[in-house]
Amino acid sequence: MASLSLQPKFSLHPNNSILHFHPQNKPQIIFFTRKVKIKTKTKCSSIDPQQQQQKQRESFTRKKKSVTETEKGVDPVGFLTKLGITHKAFAQFLRERYKSLKDLKAEIFTRHLNLQEMASGFEILGTHRHKEHRVDYMDWAPGARYCALVGDFNGWSPTTNAAREGLYGHDDYGYWFIILEDKLREGEEPDELYFQQYNYVDDYDKGDSGVTIDEVFQRANDEYWEPGEDRFIKNRFELPAKLYERLFGPNGPQTIEELGEIPDAETRYKAHKELHKDDPPSNLPPFDVIDNGKEYDIFNVVVDPAWQEKFRNKKPPLAYWTETRKGRKAWLKKYTPAIPHGSKYRVYFNTPDGPLERVPAWANFIQPDAEGKQAYAIHWEPPPEYTYKWKHTAIKPPKSLRIYECHVGISGSEPKISSFNDFTEKVLPHVKRAGYNAIQLIGIVEHKDYFTVGYRVTNFFAVSSRYGTPEDFKRLVDEAHGLGLLVFLDIVHSYSAADEMVGLSRFDGSNDCYFHTGKRGHHKYWGTRMFKYGDLDVLHFLLSNLNWWISEYKIDGFHFHSLASMLYTHNGFASFTGDLEEYCNQYVDNDAVKYLILANEILHALHPNIITIAEDATFYPGLCEPTSQGGLGFDYHVNLSASEMWLSLLKNTPDHEWSMSKITSTLLGNKNYADKMLVYAENHNQSISGGQSLAEILLSQGNDKAPQSNELLLRGSSLLKMIKLITFTIGGRGYLNFMGNEFGHPKRVEFPMPSNNFSFSLANRCWDLLEKEGVYQDLFRFDKDMMKLDKNEKVLSRGLPNIHHVKDTNMVISYLRGPLLFVFNFHPTDSYERYCIGVDEAGEYQVILNTDERRYGGQGIVKEEQYLQRTISKRVDGLRNCIKVSLPSRTAQVYKLSRILRI
């Protein structure tokens, strides 16, 4: 397999555990083993070489502190020490994993130059246009005996474009290589230059200049060489021929005695000067020899400084070599593309079990099988004038995330699959107007069945063709960046679809190409295939896939879906008590853990602003800890318990029995990692996976019609606002909302499937509800102001809240976050006048958000003149001061310290 040298260069030494960049010209310190004599006034002592080496190292360390992570120190159990956790079995497991990871990296470096090359397989695998009028195809199929590319460009012939084993088309690791030469048009002559190159992209409108290769090379020589300087370039054998003739020719010495004594350099130099003293002036470089009077260097060759500066300023005539490249028009005039843009193709294998055809694993545009037709890849090589030109630069990640989760296919109002262009033009402006700063896209990577919501991925490098082309998706991402929105991708590397023709299952006819064999190769309940994370080529595929989406589509981050499926051989379907033994026993897939560590190390080294989010129901220890301290290296983790809690309370618990303590403890999650938590009241699972959204439960009372009474409407909208506000403000630095839930979308999502006769009636969003006055417009107005609260007051990035007031009897919760005070009254009937809440700072507190305001669909019980409250010097809730507030039932208020009183 070919090696790539990519810039900037970095390496990961097998003895190091973290990724770091190396300066290109950094001097290295080398210690030599030798004995050193130390002379003193009294005696001469011998120092042991090892002791001397140790002293030299210590001296160097004192002079200059190390700048790399490795020199700072790597602690495989560092996060356990930081958290004060003592567990011998798990600590030993972390140490063994660290050693195993070093061995894995050492194995990687036996085949790859560095980890950047390991994660850049997309640059050589798949189909790629080569500058020398050809297309190269490369794929991995170790179980195949014969490989060919078949498609409409060659009449689906398995013999026209093939690579046979042993004929430079198959290496020892199972990578097949096929070259497809462009066809010379009738009447055209082959290129004069054997390695003639064509610039297909930049100079796509440039034809043949008419200048021959000889003329270009002559101009290059005339510019670069001085007159007479190229004498020995043109006649490179003149000097050795003369020397040979002088020594071994018929007039040369026949014996050693005849050869005589060879004069010294000074004598020969003076003889040369005497011989050429009458030569005319020359443009050749004026060399001369002088005597510096040094024993070790009797004669030095020196040169005129002016000529030396002139020589150094000369640049190689590379511009002329570039000029030999011809443009796209010249290429199309002379050649017919081997694979025209838009061609359909598959890869053909001959295996021990017989011939088979597959969709190439690295293809970037796929047409899945529909209506009984076979799947095929589409060669995507549009003319440069039709490729998308990026207009906006990458966005710096914000300190807090307000994520709008989307599915492109259901984003329209009509009962059909929406496109990338529809989403770009209609949904992105709504997301910006709603106040979110990031979008998270699900179902983007190609998948065979639409009703799987994109979670049974078949082709990992392809955007789903049912929404549009790769250029359409680039436009979506670029326009989102132009609006100041980050773009996250829901990535599924925890399993793969079991489809064979269009997916990776039995790709080369064997059962263990990308996946484990036997039961371990299949998900326990979902019927999907489980990756073989310990295989270098599988790692090469998955790591390159992550880097591909960033390099090609400028994705800003990844949401790693369902990590529990890959972290354990039981796929996460087991009881967890929280004992660390459960995270280091025989059911943990250590190869999968090492893959996640490698993925985070490489992504954060290559793309420092990338954001990775872990979705793990078991909350594996160290998810968001640095990899150098024994962690997995994620930036955020998802609190999956919050949404489950809200669903359980709404469906199974009467309003007056809600536990305030349970609500706060569930929303906070693990306090050690609360600042790196992404939380949501509901996501697509509640709307898509056969369930109901919170709005459907609260507002529609189990049917698709409007609420039956104002009382039910008030209860539903009040609880929905309170649930969102407390979930948004009490958790970590990230919040997520699924498309449409910001205005209480009344209908669930149901994808077309056999059970509903493939109906699209519920596979859309009712955006028209925002144009009508009523509960949906009120809920959207509140959600918009809630997002504005974080934008203006930096709520999510202020650190963890101080939860100082939790009363289960009164059903009141209050907490402080910076200068903000949040107060919630979940009681279904009881309202409180002049309710005492403790605060730390004495001063005036102003209401800046009230869920009961009329513009949010509330009753407006608390009037604006009651919005300003002055503190009382009374110790409440363990704090020095307090304020007395009005708390109507099922309402919440946000106060801001507007003025500090100094006493």
Side-chain angles (χ1 to χ4, degrees), residues 294-309:
K294 297 178 181 179
E295 293 182 2
Y296 61 86
D297 190 12
I298 300 176
F299 289 98
N300 286 327
V301 177
V302 296
V303 68
D304 181 19
W307 186 92
Q308 191 175 31
E309 186 66 23

Side-chain angles (χ1 to χ4, degrees), residues 654-660 663 714-715 718-719 722 807-813 823-832 835 851 859 861 887-892:
D655 293 0
H656 63 278
E657 293 182 8
W658 286 16
S659 169
M660 301 298 102
I663 290 175
L714 181 61
R715 171 189 177 269
S718 298
L719 283 178
M722 294 181 70
K807 301 294 184 183
D808 286 317
T809 53
N810 297 336
M811 299 185 70
V812 175
I813 299 173
V823 188
F824 296 82
N825 178 14
F826 278 95
H827 205 287
T829 56
D830 292 355
S831 299
Y832 307 103
Y835 191 92
T851 63
Q859 296 176 291
I861 296 176
L887 288 179
S889 63
R890 291 197 183 113
T891 64

Side-chain angles (χ1 to χ4, degrees), residues 738-809:
F738 181 65
M739 177 176 58
N741 289 345
E742 71 277 10
F743 62 87
H745 196 278
K747 298 181 181 179
R748 67 185 183 278
V749 177
E750 189 175 279
F751 281 79
M753 60 184 72
S755 61
N756 60 16
N757 200 24
F758 296 98
S759 170
F760 282 85
S761 60
L762 293 176
N764 50 43
R765 300 278 86 179
C766 302
W767 299 110
D768 58 308
L769 295 175
L770 290 174
E771 301 174 2
K772 305 173 184 177
E773 288 289 341
V775 61
Y776 303 111
Q777 198 174 85
D778 295 339
L779 288 173
F780 176 66
R781 192 177 293 117
F782 174 77
D783 193 88
K784 184 178 178 180
D785 287 351
M786 193 170 68
M787 297 301 111
K788 190 183 296 183
L789 178 68
D790 178 59
K791 183 179 180 181
N792 296 337
E793 304 296 337
K794 314 298 181 189
V795 179
L796 302 186
S797 58
R798 284 189 179 276
L800 297 180
N802 174 19
I803 304 176
H804 62 285
H805 188 97
V806 179
K807 301 294 184 183
D808 286 317
T809 53

